């Protein structure tokens, strides 16, 4: 889910450089296979990052005109045409349709099958002149019957370059007419079908050496890929590219017709390679501390000592890597590990990638210094970064990290939260037809919004200038320390801090009057699991009960969306469950519920997490080799059934599942859960050892396995106790621990699920802490200093 092109494909939204290098290294053999067909096509695409023109806006509120036949497409069955016409009249017209093909009254000229879908991304394409199909058997049956190739386009609703390709190609009548007459066109929302996205992304990397969105793949009617690209300009010569999309469509159709054997051989070769990649050889031993030290060395070697982060531009937030480094520092005491974390977090917080006015973080920076972002904002990034800043605060006690975490959670609460519970997927980079328009400022806009002295402070601290740093305007960023700016303005730092805080509030109110970026209102189960965990932890660490209530509401809504068999949906879209849940939906939601349990000690969250893991064991577990598949045993398999280990940019389902199993094992004493976690790590060990930095979240599970995890209980007397006991525990960075707090009369009931609570008492009528390891407890204490000492002892990494 990344924007702006870093690769041979023009202007696409690429995968991160670290992830792309890993993919290319694994797929190099497949790249060699496809060289033959690339020669037949005979052209390469050149990179660019130019913006696209904006679509027209404004829609009449008058009666709709019936949609026209799609250019070049066969006549629709009357029943389908009637359904589409009816659907077209019921679409919400508060937002203009994303098409320039309109009647005089502003209503769209064309309507295709996607108008019947609920995905915001598919609905964006519902008025293209392309005869789009959603993914399904109907589309491939037509391709087979008509002897046509399939054009598969995968993207997501807040993807800038997906919008560009839609405006330039899919909304173009000439291109649509050729596509409709010669292909079967399928559109997929990658956020709704991550299985298809992952499989065909590997194919595109194999075929082109690059990956990103929009993903553009040519398939046979048997769903096998034989050519792939990302963003492609519409015509030869556009954006400095020798071959455009229309020419590519024509040439590949010619190859498909004239060289069917060659196409079939290539499709088979790529499919075989995808299957080989999916068949990870199972390991026979758990990785040791050596793999953690290797990962640390690799991170240190690629760390940017000037700006923080890893590698160069474009630069992506690295939450998984930095969380692992916090763990490594805790176990090793290595100051360099902590330095890499704090320098990166401070630089990101000061940079333009951080939304200083509204809170939260943009997707990535286009430069090495974090100054100029790509402006899309994702729920997943902000969930992970909020958690990371909370943990950095616990380790360093730097209040600035706590402030960033709070502002990030406030942003999600304000702008990405559904009133009925749950969190939206993302907000777009574009508004009012321009990338970043919602977020940038000119000096005149600042002065118009603020009193003179306050405006001067903002202009100086956030480096807002007449020249600007983004298309004549400025992305707010803080290149100088607050104390230096305070001296320049002849004030003290605390006074300047207050002025800037008040100014940001006023600017946020003024910014709210601008045209807002589109928000994808899907509620994706997995990503909500990450956010539930972030809000639960934020409520605990920052002492903000309102955050815990947001986590509760989201958890309640997702659990209520389960079917009669306890299966979770992939998402809620238009308020309704959509699609079957994948591995990460179960694993990430269970992780969030465990965080919520440790925030509230409400047993319903713990029981729900246990139930989700029971479903994982029956529907996703590989009983032969260990580990979890991404898709359920009763789900349709499209070419391959993957067993994910890659944690970039999101935690892999296997990492989340294994960590959840270990936490549940510590809480419940169920050694079978621990053995399943070990089997998961063992199954993925060869991939982990081969490329450890691809899987920082799985390495965190290795850290857990190599540690002596703590079971911590706080038992209060009936009628209340000393809240400082639990607060002392919560003020510590304890990644490999479980915590339960209870009143003494509830101990017996809770011990039915958490057996190590049995017989624990509030000694002497005072709140009592028990710090245990595998059932062996240190002396119970009601003394805060003693508890601090017991919690402060970390088990060093083994010396192997």
């Amino acid at each position: 889910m990344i924007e702006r092109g870093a690769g041979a494909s023009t202007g696409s939204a690429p995968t991160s450089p670290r992830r792309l290098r890993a993919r290319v290294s694994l797929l190099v053999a497949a790249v060699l296979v496809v060289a033959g067909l690339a020669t037949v096509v005979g052209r390469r695409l050149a990179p660019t990052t130019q913006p696209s023109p904006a679509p027209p806006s404004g829609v009449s509120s008058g009666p709709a005109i019936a949609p026209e036949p799609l250019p070049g497409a066969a006549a629709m069955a009357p029943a389908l045409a009637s359904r589409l016409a009816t659907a077209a009249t019921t679409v919400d017209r508060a937002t203009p349709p994303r098409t320039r093909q309109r009647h005089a009254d502003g209503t769209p000229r064309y309507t295709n099958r996607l108008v019947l879908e609920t995905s915001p991304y598919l609905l964006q394409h519902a008025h293209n002149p392309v005869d789009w199909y959603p993914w399904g058997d109907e589309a491939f049956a037509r391709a087979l019957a008509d002897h046509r190739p399939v054009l598969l386009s995968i993207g997501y609703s807040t993807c800038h370059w997906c919008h560009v390709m839609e405006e330039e190609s899919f909304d173009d009548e000439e291109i649509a007419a050729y596509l409709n007459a010669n292909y079967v066109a399928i559109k997929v929302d990658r956020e709704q079908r991550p299985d298809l996205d992952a499989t065909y992304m590997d194919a595109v990397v194999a075929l082109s050496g690059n990956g990103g969105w929009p993903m553009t793949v040519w398939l046979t009617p048997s769903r096998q890929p034989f050519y792939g690209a990302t963003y492609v300009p519409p015509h030869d010569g556009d954006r400095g590219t020798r071959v455009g999309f229309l020419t590519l469509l024509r040439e590949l159709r010619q190859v498909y017709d004239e060289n069917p054997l060659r196409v079939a051989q290539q499709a088979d070769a790529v499919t075989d390679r995808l299957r080989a990649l999916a068949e990870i050889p199972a390991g026979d031993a758990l990785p040791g501390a050596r793999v953690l030290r290797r990962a640390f060395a690799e991170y240190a070697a690629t760390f940017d000592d000037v700006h923080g982060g890893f590698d160069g531009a474009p630069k992506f937030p690295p939450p998984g890597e930095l969380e692992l480094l916090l763990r490594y520092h805790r176990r090793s005491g290595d100051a360099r590990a902590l330095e890499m974390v704090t320098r990166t977090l401070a630089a990101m917080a000061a940079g333009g990638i951080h939304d200083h006015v509204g809170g939260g973080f943009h997707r990535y920076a286009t430069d090495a210094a974090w100054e100029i972002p790509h402006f899309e904002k994702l729920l997943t990034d902000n969930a992970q970064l909020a958690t990371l800043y909370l943990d950095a605060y616990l380790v360093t006690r730097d209040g600035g990290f706590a402030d960033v975490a709070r502002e990030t959670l406030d942003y999600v609460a304000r702008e990405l939260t559904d009133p009925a519970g749950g969190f939206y997927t993302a907000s777009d980079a574009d508004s009012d037809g321009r990338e970043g328009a919602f977020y940038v400022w000119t000096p005149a806009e600042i002065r118009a919004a603020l009193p003179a002295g306050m405006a001067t402070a903002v202009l100086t601290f956030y480096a807002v200038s007449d020249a600007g740093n983004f298309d004549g305007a400025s992305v707010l960023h803080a290149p100088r320390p607050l104390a230096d700016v305070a001296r320049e303005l002849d004030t003290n730092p605390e006074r300047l801090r207050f002025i800037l805080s008040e100014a940001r509030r006023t600017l946020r109110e003024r910014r709210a009057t601008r045209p807002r970026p589109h928000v994808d209102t899907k509620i994706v189960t997995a990503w909500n699991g990450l956010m539930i965990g972030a809000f639960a932890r934020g409520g605990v660490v920052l002492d903000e009960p309102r955050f815990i209530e947001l986590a509760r509401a989201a958890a309640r809504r997702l659990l209520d969306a389960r079917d009669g068999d306890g299966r979770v949906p992939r998402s809620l879209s238009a308020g309704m469950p959509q699609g079957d849940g994948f591995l990460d939906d179960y694993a990430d939601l269970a992780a969030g519920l465990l965080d919520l349990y440790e925030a509230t000690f409400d047993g319903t969250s713990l029981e729900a997490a246990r139930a989700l893991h029971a479903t994982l064991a029956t529907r996703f577990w590989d009983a032969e080799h260990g580990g979890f598949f991404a898709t359920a045993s009763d789900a349709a398999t499209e070419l391959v059934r993957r067993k994910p280990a890659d944690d970039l940019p999101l935690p892999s389902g296997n990492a989340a599942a294994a960590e959840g199993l270990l936490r549940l094992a510590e809480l419940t004493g169920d050694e079978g859960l621990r053995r399943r976690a070990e089997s998961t790590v063992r199954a993925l060990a060869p991939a982990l050892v081969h490329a450890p930095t691809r899987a920082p979240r799985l390495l965190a599970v290795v850290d857990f396995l190599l540690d002596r995890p703590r079971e911590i209980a706080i038992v209060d007397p009936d009628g209340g106790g000393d809240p400082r006991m639990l607060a002392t525990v919560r003020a510590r960075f304890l990644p490999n621990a479980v915590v339960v707090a209870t009143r003494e009369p509830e101990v017996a009931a809770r011990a039915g699920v958490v057996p190590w609570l049995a017989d624990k008492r509030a000694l002497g009528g005072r709140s009592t802490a028990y710090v245990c390891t595998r059932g062996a407890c240190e002396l119970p204490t009601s003394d805060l200093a003693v508890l601090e000492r017991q919690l402060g002892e970390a088990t060093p990494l083994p010396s192997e």
Side-chain angles (χ1 to χ4, degrees), residues 55-59 96-110:
S57 61
V59 180
R98 292 185 60 87
T99 180
R100 62 179 178 272
Q101 307 297 341
R102 304 186 196 179
H103 298 293
D105 69 345
T107 57
R109 292 174 57 198
Y110 303 111

Side-chain angles (χ1 to χ4, degrees), residues 287 291-292 320 324 644-647 651-659 662 677 680-689 692 694-705:
V291 72
L292 297 175
L324 180 65
D646 188 339
D647 289 323
S652 74
N654 272 291
E659 184 175 18
L662 290 174
T680 299
V681 176
R682 190 179 297 113
L684 301 173
L688 191 59
V689 171
R694 289 179 59 203
R697 303 289 186 178
L698 197 58
L699 288 176
V701 179
V702 174
D703 172 64
F704 200 130
L705 287 168

Side-chain angles (χ1 to χ4, degrees), residues 15 19-31 34 154 194-213 215 217 225 227-230 269-271 273-280 639-646 648 694:
T15 54
R19 186 181 187 192
L20 184 58
R21 285 198 300 272
R23 285 183 183 273
V24 171
S25 68
L26 289 172
L27 292 166
V28 65
V31 174
V34 304
I154 300 179
D195 56 332
L196 299 177
D197 179 65
T199 294
Y200 290 108
M201 179 64 77
D202 278 346
V204 168
V205 173
L207 288 158
S208 68
N210 301 280
W213 300 277
M215 192 194 314
V217 198
Y227 197 83
T230 52
V270 175
T271 302
R273 182 60 181 161
L274 295 178
R275 288 171 177 156
L277 285 171
E279 294 173 0
I280 300 174
L639 296 184
V640 298
R641 192 176 182 207
R642 300 165 55 87
K643 190 182 294 182
D646 188 339
L648 306 174
R694 289 179 59 203

Side-chain angles (χ1 to χ4, degrees), residues 432 438 441 445 449 506-517:
D432 203 25
F438 184 71
W441 298 85
E445 289 170 330
T506 301
L507 292 177
R508 185 167 65 246
E509 293 170 356
R510 178 64 62 92
R511 193 175 77 173
T513 66
R514 297 176 174 179
R516 300 184 70 87

Side-chain angles (χ1 to χ4, degrees), residues 124-439:
Q124 286 179 348
H125 293 261
H127 299 295
N128 295 160
V130 175
D131 188 14
W132 289 115
Y133 283 77
W135 181 274
D137 292 339
E138 180 186 3
F140 290 101
R142 183 184 171 198
L144 184 63
D146 292 354
H147 306 288
R148 293 186 182 190
V150 170
L151 189 283
L152 172 64
S153 176
I154 300 179
Y156 56 103
S157 78
T158 58
C159 163
H160 172 75
W161 284 98
C162 300
H163 301 335
V164 173
M165 191 161 181
E166 178 196 14
E167 294 159 9
E168 293 179 342
S169 293
F170 300 138
D171 208 36
D172 180 273
E173 290 179 293
E174 179 188 12
I175 292 175
Y178 184 84
L179 190 55
N180 294 341
N182 292 277
Y183 287 83
V184 173
I186 297 177
K187 178 64 73 172
V188 168
D189 182 339
R190 69 173 297 265
E191 297 169 346
Q192 194 74 11
R193 292 298 305 267
D195 56 332
L196 299 177
D197 179 65
T199 294
Y200 290 108
M201 179 64 77
D202 278 346
V204 168
V205 173
L207 288 158
S208 68
N210 301 280
W213 300 277
M215 192 194 314
T216 310
V217 198
W218 281 256
L219 310 179
T220 68
S222 60
R223 313 185 188 203
Q224 294 178 286
F226 65 91
Y227 197 83
T230 52
Y231 164 80
V232 186
H235 301 292
D236 298 356
D238 289 349
R239 301 184 184 275
T241 304
R242 287 182 295 169
V243 59
F245 184 54
L246 182 57
T247 298
L248 197 57
L249 288 171
R250 288 170 173 159
E251 290 192 357
L252 286 169
R253 179 64 205 246
Q254 181 179 355
V255 171
Y256 186 84
D257 291 337
E258 296 178 0
N259 296 279
L261 180 60
R262 187 172 207 165
V263 169
Q265 288 173 336
Q266 173 144 306
D268 286 343
V270 175
T271 302
D272 288 345
R273 182 60 181 161
L274 295 178
R275 288 171 177 156
L277 285 171
E279 294 173 0
I280 300 174
D284 56 7
L286 289 170
R290 182 180 296 116
V291 72
L292 297 175
R293 293 190 174 93
R294 271 188 57 205
F296 168 72
E298 290 183 28
Y299 291 137
T302 57
F303 185 70
D304 181 345
D305 280 301
V306 176
H307 304 295
F310 303 99
D311 300 315
K315 187 170 280 185
F316 297 80
E321 293 91 325
L322 298 184
E323 283 280 3
L324 180 65
L325 288 171
L326 284 178
R327 285 172 169 267
Y328 188 84
H329 169 260
R330 173 180 170 268
R331 302 287 301 281
S332 69
D334 194 309
R336 176 64 167 163
L338 183 59
E339 179 193 20
M340 286 191 278
V341 175
T342 57
R343 290 181 64 179
T344 300
L345 295 186
M348 286 173 52
I353 192 173
H354 179 210
D355 181 357
H356 292 269
V357 169
F361 288 85
H362 299 291
R363 181 63 193 98
Y364 72 92
T366 62
D367 62 300
W370 307 105
E371 181 178 339
I372 307 300
H374 170 63
F375 294 91
E376 181 187 10
K377 296 171 83 172
L378 306 184
L379 181 71
T380 50
D381 287 337
N382 284 286
Q384 294 181 91
L385 288 171
T387 301
L388 174 60
Y389 275 91
L390 289 169
D391 286 341
Y393 166 66
L394 291 178
V395 173
T396 66
R397 310 311 295 181
D398 183 334
F401 292 151
D403 291 342
V404 172
R406 182 180 284 105
E407 292 164 5
T408 301
L409 294 172
D410 278 336
Y411 154 70
V412 175
R414 185 178 61 250
E415 299 188 26
L416 293 181
T417 298
D418 191 280
F423 310 109
Y424 301 145
T425 297
S427 64
D428 210 324
D430 301 3
S431 60
D432 203 25
R434 294 180 294 128
E435 184 178 5
F438 184 71
Y439 298 101

